[in-house]
Amino acid sequence: MSVTGRTQAVPNRLLRLLLRPTAPPLWLGVAVAVGFIGVETLLVFQLKRVAPENAFGAVFLLGVLVVSAGWGFGLAIATSLASALVYVYFHLEGTDSLAPAVSVFLPLALLTNLLVGQARLRAAEAEQRRVEADLSAELARSTLGAGDLRAALDSAGRRIAEVLELPFAVLGLGDLTADARSTAVALCDGAERIGTLLVPADLPADARRRVRRILPSLEALLVSTRDRQQINAALAATHAEVSALADQQAALRRVATLVARGAEPAEVYPAAVTELAAGLGVEHVTLVAYDGDTDCVVLAARDSRDTATLSPGERLSLDGDSLTRRIRMTGRPARIDDYAGLGGPIPARLHGLRVRSGVGAPVIVDGRLRGAVLVGSVTADPLPAECEAKVGDFADLIATAIANAETRAELKASRSRIITAADHARRSLERDLHDGAQQRIVSLGLEVRALEASLPPDAEQQRHAMSRVATGLADLHHDLQELSRGIHPAILSRGGLGPAIKTLTRRSAVPVELDLDVDRRLPESVEVAAYYVVAEALTNAAKHARASQVTVHARAGDRALHLAVADDGVGGADASAGSGLIGLKDRVEAVSGHLEVTSVHGAGTTLTVEIRL
């Protein structure tokens, strides 16, 4: 700090000392008064030597001015009288009369004392108001920015007591009760009481005035604090609502993804009830299917409390009153806010699980009521009004999963029926050819040979003609045999898939490397599908792929038949371009199998098949 700064700091500290709300100690005032009078006397004594005709009374007003500014009226009067006596002393030594000293100096000193005292009081009050304004600003900053409001208000009370020089002060929201040593000062926003300030009951008048002056600031602070609490509560509620909505949408998205991937209903059911329980924050979720109008069957259940709950497959009667019955009767969402007093097997079961209220939505597939999704809460408060719509979203997903599964099952069954019917038709045609046309051709050939043998020796021309007819009939019989073998391979019926694949590889126009591990008979539909996959692949390799080598792998495991046919041809086969591969894919999928075609230009073609057993 510079010399100038230190020089300025001394008067500032002195000014703050003199303008304190309470006066400095009396002994200090007496010492200051005596010191000033002494200094003034010495100064006047020296001045009288220079100008003996002057009284220099204004010099004695300096001490009166300082004491009046720093201490009370009594000490200021005493200082004025003492200064007047000294002034009279010097005045008596001169030629003037005593009357001017008494009539002029003393009133002037008293007037100075009065004016300076008033100025001191005004300055002290202004300083006090500045301190109170700083206190209000400090309380606003600390309270409005605090995370713990109760702790902030406790700290504000202690700060009020410190600044206003009170024994204690307690600030709080609402109505605080005063005791024998405290007074409760109400803080209001209009007619509404918003808080209380507790201060000592026996405060002096000046302290009470200081408290009253700060009350409007405290009321404004508490109003702002109340508004801040309301805004924070609204923001917290909005954040919680948005977070809950995001959780619910995420749960719906996970279930929807599962449905879109074609998961079976048995996989969707437990996932849906688990996601619904987490998304809504409820304790109990149940999915049921209706069995007529009298019963329902539990498909899946979830209880977040890890307690005993309903079991999949459990059958419940619809007697009495319950959500399940109401949905069955109306086909619409329903709610029960209190299960107490309801009778019937389902309410009794839920009472045992401590479920007190619930909401349910129907599962409707193709316009038919198939089941219901039910959520239950163990709390006394009813579930929110929007709960029906949220449960309904999950019910729609479950209905979609059921519809998709049934559609896939119907498509698979229809495809299987078509392929089975075609196989039966082919087999019937093969049997008709073998038992009918082929036998008739053989009979005609024998008859022609008999006629040929009965001709006379000189009928050479007729004999040659009959021989050509017999040979033609034999060739026709051979062609029909080959045709019947292509319609339905007899070796497949007699020996099974292993010998049939060996026969196909032996007849292949392209060399085949065979890796065969099929040591037992498989279901007929599986054998037929695998046979035609190998036959079609070998035919394509010979006709279109320009392959030089084909590899066939076939292995019958405990759960599935694995089949792979690969060639080293030109590749580029497209299963979606209307080729025979589409028929193979349909045939394989009809028996719960999967066929995959990998065919890159210049890298050959591979057919991979897996058929569940």
Side-chain angles (χ1 to χ4, degrees):
M1 182 182 291
S2 64
V3 175
T4 303
R6 290 196 295 269
T7 304
Q8 293 175 348
V10 173
N12 290 337
R13 288 196 294 269
L14 179 60
L15 180 61
R16 286 197 297 271
L17 178 65
L18 295 177
L19 296 182
R20 290 175 57 188
T22 57
L26 182 60
W27 64 266
L28 181 60
V30 173
V32 170
V34 172
F36 266 97
I37 292 174
V39 172
E40 291 166 351
T41 301
L42 293 175
L43 180 61
V44 170
F45 182 78
Q46 295 296 328
L47 291 174
K48 288 288 282 183
R49 291 181 177 182
V50 176
E53 68 279 4
N54 293 326
F56 300 104
V59 175
F60 290 100
L61 293 178
L62 181 59
V64 174
L65 179 63
V66 172
V67 173
S68 298
W71 284 266
F73 186 74
L75 184 59
I77 291 294
T79 305
S80 299
L81 292 175
S83 299
L85 291 175
V86 174
Y87 176 77
V88 169
Y89 168 76
F90 280 104
H91 187 73
L92 289 176
E93 291 183 353
T95 57
D96 297 334
S97 63
L98 183 61
V102 176
S103 60
V104 175
F105 179 80
L106 188 57
L108 184 60
L110 293 177
L111 180 60
T112 301
N113 178 25
L114 179 62
L115 293 177
V116 173
Q118 290 297 319
R120 173 185 175 276
L121 291 177
R122 295 292 182 269
E125 183 177 357
E127 177 67 14
Q128 181 62 31
R129 289 182 180 275
R130 184 191 65 78
V131 171
E132 293 168 0
D134 291 343
L135 173 63
S136 299
E138 178 185 348
L139 295 180
R141 288 193 301 269
S142 62
T143 304
L144 293 178
D148 186 351
L149 182 59
R150 182 179 297 275
L153 292 179
D154 291 342
S155 176
R158 291 191 296 270
R159 185 62 178 153
I160 291 171
E162 178 184 350
V163 173
L164 300 186
E165 298 182 352
L166 305 177
F168 67 86
V170 178
L171 180 63
L173 295 174
D175 189 4
L176 301 181
T177 303
D179 53 21
R181 66 187 187 93
S182 63
T183 298
V185 181
L187 303 174
C188 301
D189 179 19
E192 179 186 1
R193 182 165 184 167
I194 56 175
T196 304
L197 177 64
L198 294 181
V199 296
D202 54 350
L203 286 178
D206 59 338
R208 288 198 298 271
R209 284 194 299 271
R210 293 196 297 271
V211 170
R212 283 196 298 270
R213 282 198 300 266
I214 203 173
L215 290 181
S217 298
L218 294 180
E219 289 175 339
L221 174 63
L222 291 185
V223 169
S224 300
T225 302
R226 179 196 60 187
D227 294 343
R228 173 176 171 269
Q229 282 187 316
Q230 293 174 350
I231 292 173
N232 288 343
L235 289 175
T238 302
H239 181 270
E241 184 177 350
V242 171
S243 179
L245 181 60
D247 291 341
Q248 293 160 16
Q249 293 300 320
L252 274 171
R253 185 168 57 252
R254 286 190 289 270
V255 177
T257 301
L258 195 63
V259 173
R261 289 175 178 172
E264 294 296 327
E267 184 181 356
V268 175
Y269 296 158
V273 297
T274 300
E275 295 289 358
L276 181 55
L280 292 184
V282 293
E283 294 81 9
H284 189 79
V285 181
T286 306
L287 171 64
V288 300
Y290 289 112
D291 187 3
D293 294 331
T294 59
D295 296 289
C296 67
V297 179
V298 176
L299 298 179
R302 167 74 176 178
D303 196 303
S304 61
R305 299 165 296 170
D306 295 328
T307 59
T309 184
L310 299 174
S311 302
E314 184 175 351
R315 181 176 294 274
L316 300 171
S317 173
L318 298 182
D319 292 341
D321 190 12
S322 64
L323 278 177
T324 315
R325 180 176 177 83
R326 293 183 186 183
I327 295 173
R328 179 60 180 169
M329 298 299 294
T330 64
R332 300 172 60 85
R335 71 166 42 235
I336 292 178
D337 292 334
D338 191 357
Y339 276 105
L342 297 184
I346 294 180
R349 191 77 169 83
L350 294 177
H351 289 159
L353 299 174
R354 294 181 294 157
V355 175
R356 304 181 65 176
S357 61
V359 169
V363 176
I364 299 176
V365 181
D366 294 333
R368 294 175 52 231
L369 179 63
R370 302 286 292 274
V373 181
L374 314 164
V375 302
S377 174
V378 300
T379 62
D381 297 330
L383 290 166
E386 65 274 10
C387 194
E388 284 91 339
K390 296 174 181 176
V391 176
D393 291 338
F394 281 89
D396 291 341
L397 284 177
I398 293 172
T400 302
I402 295 174
N404 289 346
E406 291 181 348
T407 300
R408 289 194 302 271
E410 291 174 0
L411 177 62
K412 178 179 174 181
S414 175
R415 181 187 293 166
S416 180
R417 287 194 299 270
I418 292 173
I419 292 176
T420 301
D423 287 342
H424 283 304
R426 292 160 68 103
R427 183 174 299 179
S428 177
L429 179 59
E430 186 269 338
R431 186 170 49 251
D432 291 342
L433 286 174
H434 181 272
D435 296 340
Q438 291 186 62
Q439 298 299 326
R440 181 60 176 163
I441 291 172
V442 172
S443 177
L444 289 175
L446 294 176
E447 291 180 3
V448 170
R449 289 298 183 186
L451 289 175
E452 179 187 1
S454 64
L455 289 174
D458 57 349
E460 191 68 26
Q461 184 177 358
Q462 290 83 355
R463 185 176 291 107
H464 287 299
M466 297 297 290
S467 177
R468 287 194 302 271
V469 171
T471 302
L473 289 174
D475 292 340
L476 176 59
H477 178 259
H478 181 267
D479 291 341
L480 286 178
Q481 280 185 325
E482 292 297 322
L483 177 63
S484 65
R485 290 192 186 100
I487 292 175
H488 185 80
I491 186 63
L492 187 63
S493 300
R494 294 194 301 268
L497 181 61
I501 291 178
K502 290 180 180 179
T503 301
L504 287 174
T505 58
R506 285 195 298 268
R507 294 178 179 176
S508 174
V510 180
V512 177
E513 179 182 344
L514 180 61
D515 178 14
L516 186 63
D517 184 13
V518 181
D519 56 357
R520 67 184 189 276
R521 293 300 303 265
L522 303 177
E524 181 183 6
S525 58
V526 175
E527 290 185 337
V528 172
Y531 177 86
Y532 281 112
V533 168
V534 176
E536 181 73 17
L538 293 178
T539 301
N540 289 340
K543 290 184 177 180
H544 309 295
R546 299 196 294 274
S548 60
Q549 179 74 29
V550 178
T551 302
V552 177
H553 297 276
R555 183 177 62 85
D558 294 334
R559 297 187 178 183
L561 170 66
H562 301 276
L563 182 66
V565 182
D567 64 58
D568 59 358
V570 297
D574 186 1
S576 62
S579 65
L581 296 177
I582 294 179
L584 292 181
K585 183 177 179 65
D586 291 341
R587 179 178 286 276
V588 170
E589 291 181 354
V591 290
S592 301
H594 175 72
L595 182 144
E596 182 177 353
V597 179
T598 304
S599 186
V600 180
H601 284 284
T605 301
T606 300
L607 273 64
T608 305
V609 176
E610 180 180 353
I611 303 176
R612 291 196 296 267
L613 301 177

